[in-house]
Amino acid sequence: MTRKPRGARPRRRRPQAEQRENVASRAEPALEELGEAELRSLVRELARENEALRQTREALGAAYDRYGDLYRRAPVAYLTVDADGAIREANRAACHLIGVERSALIGEHLAAFVASEDREKLDLHRQQLFADGNRSICELRLASGGAGPRDVRLESVAYPTADAGGRVCRTVLSDLGDREPAARPLDSARAESGLNDMPRKRKLRGEIEDRKRVEDVLAETASRAATVLNAIVEGVLMIDANGIVLTVNPAVEEMFGYSRDELVGKNVNILMPAAHREKHDDHLAHYGASGERTTLAACRDVVGQRKDGSTFPLELAIGAICDDSEAQYVGILRDRSERRQMEEALRQQRDFAESLIDTAHAIVLVLDTDGRIVRFNSYLEQLSGWTQREVEGKDWFSTFIPGHEAERIRALFGSALTGSRVSGNVNAIKTRDGSERIVEWYDSPLCDGSGQMTGLLCIGHDITERVEAEAALRRMSHRIQEAERLASISTLVAGIAHEVGTPMNVILGYAQMMRASLPDEKNRERADLIVEQVTRLIDLIQTLLNIARPSKPVRAPVELEVVVEHALMFFSDKLRQRGVKAKCEAKPVPRILGDADRLQQVFLNLFSNAIDAMPDGGRLEIGICPAGDGELEICVEDSGAGIAPAALPHIFEPFYSTKPRSHGSGLGLMVSKSIIVDHGGSIEVESECGSGTRFRILLPADAGPR
């Protein structure tokens, strides 16, 4: 087999061509003077030259057929572009990739088929290529043609040309295609020239010139085919039906470490690991017998073996050349070692990122632009009780956000999609068991390669414990402030009670004596008013003294039902006068350890407030029942006017009252709460204007029997 040139070299004139040229140069000036004998001699010489030319043409034709078929049928797209950017050659794969016919490509500038935004990149690629002569690579997008817009990778090498005296670049785009032959048979050329109608002498001269021209065309075609083969950046090899290597390009030599002479004539399986050789031979034989392209697919991943025995990954594309002669195959090889290394590096980075996401003590959540769940990490699975598989693709807001916050959070999500920065937002999320967790969020948009937003990355920190601790701290601070305030009030009250108490007792005593000695009824009524008001002041002073110097409770087993009934009996007349119906429902409950007198004071305060809230009558309901966890629950509920929402946070504060000044001191509920807390319990209030008020008291139960 004729060895192909490895690059574009100056074409050397062969001895036979020089001899024909000499014969023609000698024959032309003397053709007119030759006789019949000389002409016969010249015809015999031309016949010998014609036979030599025929043999040369057959050899060149075989070389052209081999290289031409290799170029045309290659599964990778090839272009030849001159220094001005005009396309001079294109194979069938290139035409298919660009989406136009070959006739529409040849002569056109390559930039006409490139997207407008990438034409400057193409110009820089071409300028750099012809400036330094090194291989140049770039990536750009083809304009929308018959095949539609697509991204391609250009790998180009510059080569000198024999005909133009300039340079062209051989460019690899993708697949292989076809190329039409460039030569015409000698007989066709002669028939078109009309030589049969010329005089005999001029006919001989034309045959000589025609043979020279055809030989040059065939030689140039073979040279171009060899140049294209050597310029291809991928490895290209051709084998026969038995797997014997017919030719390889320099890229194969560089890829495998073999020289061309070491490969040509050998079975191609020397380029494969031993475990793959028998399988390849079987596939080749099967295809030769059946024509089924099972393993001879367009592109597949294989393993190659270098001369030194090392292996490396390859991408292999195979094309079959089937004509009247023996079948031949063309293989295009791409070394994927660097790509495999990049893929492995990317895999390691991805695994590392996944590990960080799954081990992070924070929520990592990805939502699409519609608010559907794309993925989240294991931390949210543990926090919420839901697995990603269970809720993937569901709406985040309806699945995880409580109803009262869903509208606000969805509005924030919409703002984030428009580019607004949403950070530090705090909201609750629902867990699988119905409980809620408080989360602080920081969002960041996710975009694709074109800058189009594809979703939202949300990082959340569970701050439930922090919020609860802050609330507890606020409650403790409030209690401290209340205690300090009460301490100040107690000191003041103790002094006032001491200074005022004695004179009030004296006034009360004299008022009572005056009442007994007054003869007329009107003056006795006035004395009764003095006694009533002084008694009220003395009671207030005593209450203040109890606050200032609370006595230590006397703990004993107490039955709450008895304490409540005694307190109701105290208000029996007032209940009847106001038209208030009182009802006490007590379930069997254990006793408590407490001070019965002080607990009765609590219920007296609550019943008094309830009766005052129902001047036109109503209902007063008391319920006693177990509350679980070793506690008892006492509920006092009325149907009165209720308490305004703004007043509810303050009703247990000292001297705060919703009644007129003449009807209360504002100390009853504060004292009641203090007594309940001293017994280890708690008191809460619920109220709605116009619907009444409900107090709920929890007290620890006595462990002994009732």
Side-chain angles (χ1 to χ4, degrees):
M1 173 156 184
T2 304
R3 183 179 300 177
K4 298 184 180 183
R6 300 189 180 181
R9 303 174 182 173
R11 192 170 67 254
R12 298 177 58 187
R13 194 178 300 274
R14 292 179 296 279
Q16 290 180 346
E18 293 177 357
Q19 182 178 0
R20 287 193 303 273
E21 189 173 87
N22 292 336
V23 172
S25 62
R26 291 194 308 268
E28 288 176 4
L31 283 176
E32 297 295 337
E33 301 175 1
L34 291 176
E36 188 69 22
E38 289 82 357
L39 285 174
R40 289 195 184 95
S41 175
L42 181 57
V43 167
R44 286 193 298 271
E45 184 178 353
L46 287 175
R48 288 193 300 271
E49 289 294 328
N50 187 50
E51 178 60 23
L53 179 60
R54 185 188 63 78
Q55 295 175 1
T56 300
R57 184 179 63 190
E58 289 178 354
L60 289 174
Y64 168 77
D65 289 341
R66 179 167 296 166
Y67 289 118
D69 282 339
L70 175 63
Y71 182 81
R72 292 192 309 272
R73 299 175 184 271
V76 176
Y78 295 109
L79 292 175
T80 301
V81 183
D82 62 22
D84 295 327
I87 300 172
R88 296 180 59 177
E89 291 291 347
N91 68 351
R92 191 173 297 171
C95 298
H96 176 73
L97 178 64
I98 297 174
V100 297
E101 296 293 332
R102 181 176 180 274
S103 59
L105 278 179
I106 304 303
E108 293 292 333
H109 281 72
L110 179 58
F113 305 99
V114 173
S116 58
E117 64 269 17
D118 284 346
R119 289 175 183 172
E120 184 176 352
K121 184 188 297 186
L122 176 64
D123 291 339
L124 292 175
H125 171 75
R126 180 167 49 83
Q127 293 170 10
Q128 179 182 357
L129 178 69
F130 287 107
D132 54 27
N134 295 326
R135 177 183 297 178
S136 181
I137 299 174
C138 77
E139 294 182 359
L140 48 76
R141 170 164 290 191
L142 296 178
S144 177
R150 63 178 66 185
D151 296 325
V152 297
R153 184 171 184 261
L154 276 64
E155 296 186 42
S156 305
V157 177
Y159 281 88
T161 58
D163 56 346
R167 306 187 79 185
V168 296
C169 70
R170 313 294 186 187
T171 299
V172 177
L173 289 177
S174 177
D175 297 332
L176 287 170
D178 202 357
R179 178 183 176 184
E180 295 296 327
R184 295 181 302 167
L186 177 60
D187 294 339
S188 175
R190 294 176 60 189
E192 292 176 1
S193 64
L195 291 178
N196 293 331
D197 298 332
M198 296 176 60
R200 185 176 183 184
K201 295 179 181 180
R202 299 190 61 181
K203 178 180 177 182
L204 293 174
R205 183 190 305 152
E207 287 182 355
I208 295 173
E209 294 175 351
D210 189 45
R211 292 188 187 107
K212 287 174 57 182
R213 185 167 55 253
V214 172
E215 182 184 19
D216 289 343
V217 169
L218 293 175
E220 176 62 21
T221 301
S223 176
R224 286 186 178 183
T227 300
V228 169
L229 180 65
N230 293 334
I232 295 174
V233 294
E234 286 90 358
V236 180
L237 58 82
M238 180 182 289
I239 62 174
D240 62 16
N242 298 317
I244 302 302
V245 178
L246 301 176
T247 187
V248 298
N249 71 340
V252 172
E253 297 177 294
E254 181 180 355
M255 193 178 297
F256 289 90
Y258 289 98
S259 67
R260 181 178 180 277
D261 293 338
E262 290 176 303
L263 291 175
V264 173
K266 303 294 194 305
N267 195 298
V268 71
N269 61 21
I270 68 170
L271 303 179
M272 310 171 190
H276 295 215
R277 294 174 183 175
E278 183 176 354
K279 185 177 181 180
H280 173 267
D281 293 342
D282 292 342
H283 287 318
L284 197 63
H286 176 75
Y287 177 74
S290 65
E292 296 179 4
R293 296 192 62 177
T294 54
T295 59
L296 300 181
C299 282
R300 58 192 178 98
D301 291 333
V302 297
V303 179
Q305 179 173 289
R306 300 185 181 93
K307 184 177 180 179
D308 60 9
S310 61
T311 59
F312 62 103
L314 283 171
E315 183 179 88
L316 172 64
I318 300 179
I321 303 174
C322 299
D323 49 25
D324 295 338
S325 60
E326 184 183 30
Q328 296 176 342
Y329 307 99
V330 177
I332 307 298
L333 304 171
R334 289 179 177 173
D335 188 344
R336 289 172 50 89
S337 301
E338 183 177 352
R339 182 174 175 181
R340 285 284 178 86
Q341 293 173 359
M342 293 175 61
E343 290 174 350
E344 177 63 20
L346 289 174
R347 186 192 63 79
Q348 293 178 359
Q349 292 180 3
R350 184 183 64 251
D351 292 345
F352 178 69
E354 292 286 346
S355 176
L356 286 179
I357 290 173
D358 285 335
T359 57
H361 195 69
I363 298 172
V364 180
L365 168 70
V366 178
L367 303 177
D368 65 16
T369 53
D370 294 324
R372 292 188 296 266
I373 299 169
V374 176
R375 66 161 300 176
F376 54 76
N377 64 344
S378 58
Y379 182 78
L380 182 55
E381 289 184 341
Q382 298 170 5
L383 193 67
S384 67
W386 294 102
T387 65
Q388 178 179 319
R389 179 174 296 180
E390 289 175 310
V391 296
E392 185 174 351
K394 292 186 178 180
D395 182 73
W396 165 257
F397 308 100
S398 60
T399 306
F400 282 90
I401 304 300
H404 65 279
E405 287 197 289
E407 185 176 352
R408 180 179 70 87
I409 302 306
R410 194 181 291 274
L412 288 175
F413 175 77
S415 298
L417 291 181
T418 61
S420 300
R421 185 74 174 176
V422 179
S423 297
N425 172 61
V426 176
N427 64 268
I429 63 171
K430 297 183 296 186
T431 64
R432 189 167 195 160
D433 60 10
S435 61
E436 294 184 359
R437 306 293 296 182
I438 308 300
V439 180
E440 183 177 25
W441 294 99
Y442 296 86
D443 301 338
S444 179
L446 296 175
C447 301
D448 58 18
S450 63
Q452 184 72 24
M453 185 175 293
T454 59
L456 205 63
L457 172 64
C458 309
I459 307 298
H461 301 283
D462 181 15
I463 60 172
T464 306
E465 285 75 17
R466 188 183 83 188
V467 170
E468 292 175 349
E470 290 174 351
L473 183 61
R474 285 194 299 270
R475 290 193 297 270
M476 181 64 69
S477 176
H478 178 72
R479 289 177 181 175
I480 292 173
Q481 292 175 0
E482 184 176 331
E484 292 176 348
R485 183 181 179 187
L486 288 175
S488 300
I489 293 173
S490 298
T491 303
L492 176 63
V493 165
I496 294 174
H498 178 73
E499 296 296 331
V500 176
T502 301
M504 286 295 104
N505 285 320
V506 173
I507 294 171
L508 178 62
Y510 278 105
Q512 290 173 341
M513 292 172 59
M514 287 174 59
R515 181 183 181 283
S517 63
L518 291 173
D520 59 292
E521 185 66 24
K522 188 171 184 179
N523 285 328
R524 283 199 299 272
E525 290 178 358
R526 292 171 179 169
D528 287 339
L529 182 60
I530 293 173
V531 170
E532 180 182 349
Q533 294 301 319
V534 171
T535 302
R536 181 173 176 273
L537 286 174
I538 291 173
D539 291 340
L540 177 59
I541 290 171
Q542 187 59 46
T543 301
L544 293 174
L545 285 173
N546 290 336
I547 295 173
R549 295 192 298 269
S551 60
K552 187 175 182 180
V554 179
R555 297 296 175 91
V558 176
E559 293 186 8
L560 285 176
E561 183 179 355
V562 175
V563 174
V564 170
E565 288 176 352
H566 287 172
L568 282 174
M569 288 176 61
F570 184 83
F571 288 104
S572 59
D573 292 339
K574 195 172 183 179
L575 290 169
R576 186 171 54 255
Q577 293 172 2
R578 293 286 183 92
V580 176
K581 295 182 180 180
K583 181 176 65 174
C584 178
E585 293 184 358
K587 295 182 179 180
V589 294
R591 296 175 298 181
I592 69 168
L593 283 175
D595 189 326
D597 292 337
R598 299 189 70 191
L599 289 172
Q600 185 173 352
Q601 185 180 355
V602 171
F603 294 115
L604 288 173
N605 287 332
L606 295 179
F607 296 164
S608 176
N609 290 338
I611 294 170
D612 291 341
M614 297 182 288
D616 300 324
R619 57 179 176 79
L620 175 61
E621 297 179 355
I622 303 97
I624 304 173
C625 63
D629 295 331
E631 291 184 320
L632 305 182
E633 179 184 81
I634 307 97
C635 292
V636 179
E637 184 174 358
D638 65 62
S639 60
I643 303 172
L648 277 176
H650 307 289
I651 63 172
F652 293 109
E653 295 178 0
F655 304 108
Y656 185 87
S657 177
T658 59
K659 302 177 184 179
R661 285 184 177 274
S662 60
H663 288 76
S665 62
L667 295 172
L669 288 178
M670 184 205 74
V671 172
S672 299
K673 181 177 181 180
S674 177
I675 293 171
I676 295 299
V677 172
D678 287 342
H679 282 75
S682 63
I683 181 170
E684 299 174 350
V685 61
E686 299 174 1
S687 184
E688 185 176 348
C689 288
S691 299
T693 302
R694 181 176 183 268
F695 285 90
R696 180 173 180 263
I697 300 172
L698 293 177
L699 289 171
D702 182 14
R706 181 172 179 177

